[in-house]
mmCIF file of all heavy atoms in Angstrom:
data_model
loop_
_atom_site.group_PDB
_atom_site.id
_atom_site.type_symbol
_atom_site.label_atom_id
_atom_site.label_comp_id
_atom_site.label_asym_id
_atom_site.label_seq_id
_atom_site.Cartn_x
_atom_site.Cartn_y
_atom_site.Cartn_z
ATOM 1 N N GLU A 63 -24.680 38.310 -6.150
ATOM 2 C CA GLU A 63 -25.883 38.114 -5.526
ATOM 3 C C GLU A 63 -26.959 37.567 -6.609
ATOM 4 O O GLU A 63 -26.980 38.107 -7.731
ATOM 5 C CB GLU A 63 -26.397 39.438 -5.055
ATOM 6 C CG GLU A 63 -27.747 39.388 -4.314
ATOM 7 C CD GLU A 63 -28.080 40.610 -3.727
ATOM 8 O OE1 GLU A 63 -27.248 41.477 -3.267
ATOM 9 O OE2 GLU A 63 -29.304 40.871 -3.501
ATOM 10 N N PHE A 95 13.610 31.819 4.443
ATOM 11 C CA PHE A 95 14.559 32.686 5.201
ATOM 12 C C PHE A 95 14.752 34.005 4.574
ATOM 13 O O PHE A 95 14.889 35.026 5.214
ATOM 14 C CB PHE A 95 15.994 32.046 5.276
ATOM 15 C CG PHE A 95 16.904 32.645 6.197
ATOM 16 C CD1 PHE A 95 16.756 32.491 7.679
ATOM 17 C CD2 PHE A 95 17.918 33.395 5.770
ATOM 18 C CE1 PHE A 95 17.577 33.155 8.515
ATOM 19 C CE2 PHE A 95 18.882 33.974 6.658
ATOM 20 C CZ PHE A 95 18.654 33.823 8.040
ATOM 21 N N GLU A 101 3.237 27.560 -1.237
ATOM 22 C CA GLU A 101 3.534 26.049 -1.233
ATOM 23 C C GLU A 101 2.255 25.333 -1.520
ATOM 24 O O GLU A 101 1.161 25.748 -1.012
ATOM 25 C CB GLU A 101 4.052 25.624 0.113
ATOM 26 C CG GLU A 101 4.613 24.316 0.107
ATOM 27 C CD GLU A 101 5.071 23.991 1.611
ATOM 28 O OE1 GLU A 101 4.253 23.541 2.366
ATOM 29 O OE2 GLU A 101 6.267 24.098 1.844
ATOM 30 N N SER A 437 -28.008 61.222 -5.883
ATOM 31 C CA SER A 437 -29.485 61.070 -5.716
ATOM 32 C C SER A 437 -30.115 62.492 -5.949
ATOM 33 O O SER A 437 -31.161 62.491 -6.509
ATOM 34 C CB SER A 437 -29.890 60.580 -4.311
ATOM 35 O OG SER A 437 -29.426 61.441 -3.272
ATOM 36 N N ILE A 445 -29.453 51.264 -1.066
ATOM 37 C CA ILE A 445 -28.269 51.189 -0.211
ATOM 38 C C ILE A 445 -28.352 49.899 0.633
ATOM 39 O O ILE A 445 -29.466 49.486 1.072
ATOM 40 C CB ILE A 445 -28.369 52.392 0.860
ATOM 41 C CG1 ILE A 445 -28.189 53.679 0.065
ATOM 42 C CG2 ILE A 445 -27.317 52.280 1.857
ATOM 43 C CD1 ILE A 445 -26.745 54.013 -0.321
ATOM 44 N N SER A 447 -26.139 47.748 3.758
ATOM 45 C CA SER A 447 -24.999 47.882 4.749
ATOM 46 C C SER A 447 -24.984 46.703 5.633
ATOM 47 O O SER A 447 -25.944 46.125 5.892
ATOM 48 C CB SER A 447 -25.073 49.202 5.398
ATOM 49 O OG SER A 447 -24.129 49.312 6.509
ATOM 50 N N CYS B 12 -31.892 61.692 2.259
ATOM 51 C CA CYS B 12 -30.842 61.309 1.386
ATOM 52 C C CYS B 12 -31.442 60.927 -0.057
ATOM 53 O O CYS B 12 -30.639 60.731 -0.981
ATOM 54 C CB CYS B 12 -30.139 60.070 1.949
ATOM 55 S SG CYS B 12 -29.305 60.396 3.432
ATOM 56 N N TYR B 15 -33.057 54.525 -1.443
ATOM 57 C CA TYR B 15 -33.703 53.269 -0.896
ATOM 58 C C TYR B 15 -32.865 52.535 0.096
ATOM 59 O O TYR B 15 -31.657 52.421 -0.237
ATOM 60 C CB TYR B 15 -34.272 52.498 -2.020
ATOM 61 C CG TYR B 15 -35.346 53.040 -2.897
ATOM 62 C CD1 TYR B 15 -35.000 53.847 -3.961
ATOM 63 C CD2 TYR B 15 -36.620 53.036 -2.448
ATOM 64 C CE1 TYR B 15 -35.907 54.443 -4.791
ATOM 65 C CE2 TYR B 15 -37.699 53.638 -3.261
ATOM 66 C CZ TYR B 15 -37.209 54.350 -4.289
ATOM 67 O OH TYR B 15 -38.328 55.003 -5.059
ATOM 68 N N ARG B 17 -32.261 48.824 1.521
ATOM 69 C CA ARG B 17 -32.735 47.408 1.182
ATOM 70 C C ARG B 17 -33.051 46.666 2.445
ATOM 71 O O ARG B 17 -33.988 45.861 2.334
ATOM 72 C CB ARG B 17 -31.627 46.634 0.371
ATOM 73 C CG ARG B 17 -31.653 47.106 -1.019
ATOM 74 C CD ARG B 17 -30.523 46.379 -1.839
ATOM 75 N NE ARG B 17 -30.946 45.038 -1.961
ATOM 76 C CZ ARG B 17 -30.240 44.143 -2.503
ATOM 77 N NH1 ARG B 17 -28.833 44.243 -2.912
ATOM 78 N NH2 ARG B 17 -30.639 42.796 -2.731
ATOM 79 N N GLU B 18 -32.347 46.739 3.500
ATOM 80 C CA GLU B 18 -32.671 46.074 4.614
ATOM 81 C C GLU B 18 -33.752 46.706 5.506
ATOM 82 O O GLU B 18 -34.021 47.889 5.411
ATOM 83 C CB GLU B 18 -31.506 45.755 5.592
ATOM 84 C CG GLU B 18 -30.163 45.373 4.984
ATOM 85 C CD GLU B 18 -29.321 46.476 4.584
ATOM 86 O OE1 GLU B 18 -29.853 47.686 4.466
ATOM 87 O OE2 GLU B 18 -28.166 46.255 4.293
ATOM 88 N N LYS B 222 13.856 25.512 -1.061
ATOM 89 C CA LYS B 222 12.579 26.296 -1.029
ATOM 90 C C LYS B 222 12.763 27.414 0.022
ATOM 91 O O LYS B 222 12.436 28.608 -0.268
ATOM 92 C CB LYS B 222 11.568 25.345 -0.687
ATOM 93 C CG LYS B 222 10.126 25.812 -0.794
ATOM 94 C CD LYS B 222 9.219 24.724 -0.377
ATOM 95 C CE LYS B 222 9.249 24.529 1.134
ATOM 96 N NZ LYS B 222 8.288 23.397 1.490
ATOM 97 N N ARG B 223 13.212 26.870 1.165
ATOM 98 C CA ARG B 223 13.239 27.980 2.302
ATOM 99 C C ARG B 223 14.317 29.008 2.029
ATOM 100 O O ARG B 223 14.164 30.078 2.609
ATOM 101 C CB ARG B 223 13.455 27.212 3.563
ATOM 102 C CG ARG B 223 12.178 26.604 4.067
ATOM 103 C CD ARG B 223 12.570 25.737 5.303
ATOM 104 N NE ARG B 223 11.456 24.820 5.408
ATOM 105 C CZ ARG B 223 10.531 24.824 6.449
ATOM 106 N NH1 ARG B 223 10.683 25.690 7.445
ATOM 107 N NH2 ARG B 223 9.633 23.915 6.537
#
Side-chain angles (χ1 to χ4, degrees):
Chain A
E63 187 172 329
F95 191 74
E101 189 181 85
S437 66
I445 299 282
S447 172
Chain B
C12 300
Y15 291 93
R17 284 182 71 188
E18 308 96 344
K222 188 179 75 181
R223 278 170 203 250

